[in-house]
C-alpha cells in the first residue's frame, strides 16, 4: 500500500496511526512518525511538550499566506474491548469499511490531510505561501496543554496563520456534505444551593435545598436566552448533573450541587449569561455559591477566500454542494480562531465517533484526500 516514491496510501497511513494506542493524552509516537514522514516534503518539525502533552508544529515555507492543517493524535478510550467486533487498535477492514478506535475521530482525517499535502507538494513544489500542521495529543482531554498552548507560542512570535482547516469529523453522510464555519461558545456553571439538614419528619426544623432548586431550575429552563441569528442557533441551557450527597430516606439534605452548560451564540456574552443566572438566584433569595468555567468563545468564519475555496473544492471533488453551519460541540478551532485566523472544519462522517466499532468506509478516505488536495490548490495556486 505504498507508491514507488515510498509514499503510503491514505489507507495504509490511517492504519499505521490507528495501530498506535494513543489514548489521551498519550501520543504513542504518532507525531514523530508524521514528522519523519513529511520531512522529505520539506516540512521542518518543532516539538512542543507542555505538561504531559505532546504537540507538533510542522511548517513548509516562510512566506505568507500561511495555511494550517490542524488535528489531534489522541483518541478516547475504547471502553469494553469485549464489545468490539475486532480489537480497537488493530485496524480491520470488513466489506469495504475500516474499523478501529480513532478511524473517524480523527486519524483517518489526519491521514487524508497528510496524504493530500504530500500529493500537493509533489505537484506544486513552488506553490504560493506556506503550509503547516498543528497537531496535539490533548484534544480529547482537558485541552489545556495542547493547541491552546501552541497558539500562545505562535502569537508571541507573530506567526499568525491566515487560514486553518481542522480535520474533525464534521460530515453527516458523505465527506464534505457539512462544513463547520464556526462554533458556539461553551460556558459551564457549578452551582451549590444551601439549605439546612434535618429529619424528614420535622420539615419545619430544616430547609430543603432541593425544593428551592426546583423553582430556580424551572426558571432557568424556561428562560429565553436569545433568539440566535442567521449563523447560530439560539443559546441552549442544559442541566448535566445533580447531586445531594448520600441519599437517606429519612434525611433532608443540607446542600444540592448542580452542574449545567450553556452553548451560546454571538447574540450574548458569557458575562451576560453569568449575570442573568446570578440575578435570578438573588431574586429568589437563594443561599448559593457558583463557580464558572469558560470552555470556549464562539467564533465565525464569514464569507471570504477560505469559505469560497472550501466550497469550490468540495463541489469539484464530490459533485455535491456543502452545507455550512455552526452546530455540534467544540473543537480546537476555538483556540486557533483567537489569532484572527479564518477557521473551518471539514472531515469524515461522525456517525460512529466515540462509539464501539468506530469505523469509516475506505472510499471516504480517498474522497476526503481529494477534497483537501483541492482546498490546497484553491488557496495556494490561485
Amino acid at each position: 500500500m505504498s507508491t514507488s516514491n515510498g509514499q503510503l496510501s491514505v489507507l495504509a497511513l490511517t492504519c499505521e496511526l490507528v495501530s498506535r494506542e494513543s489514548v489521551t493524552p498519550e501520543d504513542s509516537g504518532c507525531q514523530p512518525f508524521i514528522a519523519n514522514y513529511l520531512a522529505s516534503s520539506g516540512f521542518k518539525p518543532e516539538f512542543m511538550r507542555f505538561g504531559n502533552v505532546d504537540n507538533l508544529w510542522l511548517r513548509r515555507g516562510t512566506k505568507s499566506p500561511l495555511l494550517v492543517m490542524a488535528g489531534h493524535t489522541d483518541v478516547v478510550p475504547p471502553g469494553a474491548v469485549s464489545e468490539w467486533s475486532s480489537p480497537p487498535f488493530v485496524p480491520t477492514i470488513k466489506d469495504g469499511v475500516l474499523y478501529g478506535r480513532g478511524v473517524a475521530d480523527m486519524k483517518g482525517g489526519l491521514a487524508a490531510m497528510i496524504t493530500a499535502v504530500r500529493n500537493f507538494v509533489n505537484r506544486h513544489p513552488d506553490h504560493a505561501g506556506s503550509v503547516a500542521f498543528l497537531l496535539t495529543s490533548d484534544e480529547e482531554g482537558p485541552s489545556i496543554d495542547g493547541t491552546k498552548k501552541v497558539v500562545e507560542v505562535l502569537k508571541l512570535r507573530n506567526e499568525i496563520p491566515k487560514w486553518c482547516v481542522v480535520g474533525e469529523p464534521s460530515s453527516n453522510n458523505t465527506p464534505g456534505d457539512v462544513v463547520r464555519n464556526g462554533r458556539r461558545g461553551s460556558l459551564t456553571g457549578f452551582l451549590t444551593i444551601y439549605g439546612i439538614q434535618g429529619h424528614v419528619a420535622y420539615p419545619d426544623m430544616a430547609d430543603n435545598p432541593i425544593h428551592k432548586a426546583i423553582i430556580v431550575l424551572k426558571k432557568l429552563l424556561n428562560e429565553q436566552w436569545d433568539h440566535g441569528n442567521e449563523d447560530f442557533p439560539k443559546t441552549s441551557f442544559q442541566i448535566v448533573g445533580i447531586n445531594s450527597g448520600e441519599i437517606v430516606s429519612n434525611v433532608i439534605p443540607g446542600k444540592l450541587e448542580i452542574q449545567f452548560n450553556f452553548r451560546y451564540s454571538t447574540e450574548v456574552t458569557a458575562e451576560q449569561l453569568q449575570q442573568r443566572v446570578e440575578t435570578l438566584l438573588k431574586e429568589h433569595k437563594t443561599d448559593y455559591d457558583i463557580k464558572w468555567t469558560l470552555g470556549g468563545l464562539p467564533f465565525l468564519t464569514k464569507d471570504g477566500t477560505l469559505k469560497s475555496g472550501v466550497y469550490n473544492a468540495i463541489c469539484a471533488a464530490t459533485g455535491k454542494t456543502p452545507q455550512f453551519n455552526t452546530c455540534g460541540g467544540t473543537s480546537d478551532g476555538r483556540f486557533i480562531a483567537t489569532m484572527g485566523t479564518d477557521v473551518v472544519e471539514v472531515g469524515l462522517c461522525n456517525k460512529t465517533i466515540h462509539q464501539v466499532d468506530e469505523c469509516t468506509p475506505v472510499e471516504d478516505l480517498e474522497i476526503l484526500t481529494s477534497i483537501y488536495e483541492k482546498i490546497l490548490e484553491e488557496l495556494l495556486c490561485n
Side-chain angles (χ1 to χ4, degrees), residues 147-225:
T147 300
K148 184 178 182 180
K149 286 285 181 67
V150 177
V151 164
E152 291 172 3
V153 172
L154 296 177
K155 285 179 179 178
L156 285 173
R157 62 195 193 196
N158 200 31
E159 194 171 0
I160 307 300
K162 183 174 183 178
W163 308 299
C164 177
V165 177
V166 184
E168 288 287 354
S170 63
S171 303
N172 289 339
N173 298 304
T174 59
D177 62 355
V178 175
V179 177
R180 312 290 187 203
N181 65 309
R183 292 283 194 170
R184 295 172 293 175
S186 176
L187 176 67
T188 299
F190 302 86
L191 172 65
T192 301
I193 295 180
Y194 296 99
I196 299 174
Q197 183 175 319
H199 197 295
V200 295
Y202 302 94
D204 294 341
M205 299 172 64
D207 184 13
N208 195 322
I210 297 176
H211 293 184
K212 293 194 294 185
I214 289 172
I215 299 171
V216 173
L217 292 179
K218 186 176 181 180
K219 288 279 188 179
L220 291 171
L221 289 167
N222 290 332
E223 183 77 4
Q224 183 72 53
W225 303 100

Side-chain angles (χ1 to χ4, degrees), residues 53-72:
V53 173
D54 290 303
N55 305 287
L56 176 61
W57 176 249
L58 276 170
R59 180 164 178 168
R60 182 184 195 271
T62 58
K63 298 179 294 184
S64 296
L66 172 58
L67 167 63
V68 169
M69 313 294 278
H72 59 92

Side-chain angles (χ1 to χ4, degrees), residues 28-344:
S28 299
C30 291
Q31 292 173 23
F33 170 81
I34 292 168
N36 182 66
Y37 185 70
L38 287 173
S40 62
S41 296
F43 283 85
K44 296 181 179 179
E46 182 178 358
F47 294 95
M48 302 184 193
R49 185 172 174 86
F50 301 106
N52 63 347
V53 173
D54 290 303
N55 305 287
L56 176 61
W57 176 249
L58 276 170
R59 180 164 178 168
R60 182 184 195 271
T62 58
K63 298 179 294 184
S64 296
L66 172 58
L67 167 63
V68 169
M69 313 294 278
H72 59 92
T73 56
D74 60 323
V75 300
V76 296
V81 175
S82 60
E83 295 182 7
W84 285 69
S85 60
S86 57
F89 295 104
V90 178
T92 305
I93 299 175
K94 302 174 186 175
D95 299 322
V97 177
L98 177 63
Y99 292 81
R101 173 57 83 222
V103 162
D105 189 13
M106 59 160 278
K107 289 181 174 178
L110 183 54
M113 281 183 163
I114 294 166
T115 304
V117 168
R118 278 199 58 166
N119 290 344
F120 173 76
V121 169
N122 288 342
R123 291 199 309 274
H124 307 283
D126 299 318
H127 62 80
S130 305
V131 184
F133 283 86
L134 196 171
L135 307 178
T136 184
S137 65
D138 186 39
E139 198 277 340
E140 299 290 8
S143 300
I144 294 173
D145 290 324
T147 300
K148 184 178 182 180
K149 286 285 181 67
V150 177
V151 164
E152 291 172 3
V153 172
L154 296 177
K155 285 179 179 178
L156 285 173
R157 62 195 193 196
N158 200 31
E159 194 171 0
I160 307 300
K162 183 174 183 178
W163 308 299
C164 177
V165 177
V166 184
E168 288 287 354
S170 63
S171 303
N172 289 339
N173 298 304
T174 59
D177 62 355
V178 175
V179 177
R180 312 290 187 203
N181 65 309
R183 292 283 194 170
R184 295 172 293 175
S186 176
L187 176 67
T188 299
F190 302 86
L191 172 65
T192 301
I193 295 180
Y194 296 99
I196 299 174
Q197 183 175 319
H199 197 295
V200 295
Y202 302 94
D204 294 341
M205 299 172 64
D207 184 13
N208 195 322
I210 297 176
H211 293 184
K212 293 194 294 185
I214 289 172
I215 299 171
V216 173
L217 292 179
K218 186 176 181 180
K219 288 279 188 179
L220 291 171
L221 289 167
N222 290 332
E223 183 77 4
Q224 183 72 53
W225 303 100
D226 61 42
H227 297 282
N229 53 42
E230 62 180 354
D231 297 303
F232 289 90
K234 65 182 181 180
T235 293
S236 70
F237 170 86
Q238 290 293 315
I239 299 166
V240 298
I242 297 178
N243 178 29
S244 63
E246 184 178 0
I247 299 175
V248 181
S249 64
N250 61 354
V251 176
I252 295 171
K255 67 177 182 179
L256 181 69
E257 296 173 334
I258 304 162
Q259 185 174 338
F260 57 84
N261 179 267
F262 286 103
R263 292 301 165 103
Y264 66 98
S265 76
T266 50
E267 293 294 303
V268 67
T269 67
E271 292 76 15
Q272 289 171 335
L273 291 172
Q274 292 175 28
Q275 184 180 39
R276 287 169 65 179
V277 169
E278 296 195 40
T279 296
L280 191 151
L281 289 165
K282 290 172 184 176
E283 286 176 353
H284 287 273
K285 297 180 172 56
T286 309
D287 183 9
Y288 74 93
D289 179 61
I290 192 165
K291 295 180 174 60
W292 298 95
T293 297
L294 181 62
L297 297 169
F299 71 90
L300 178 69
T301 295
K302 298 181 179 179
D303 292 345
T305 305
L306 181 59
K307 273 190 70 177
S308 62
V310 170
Y311 178 91
N312 292 339
I314 293 172
C315 290
T318 68
K320 298 177 182 177
T321 301
Q323 173 193 358
F324 288 84
N325 67 39
T326 59
C327 298
T330 59
S331 78
D332 279 0
R334 68 191 188 274
F335 303 124
I336 298 167
T338 64
M339 294 188 283
T341 302
D342 282 346
V343 179
V344 297

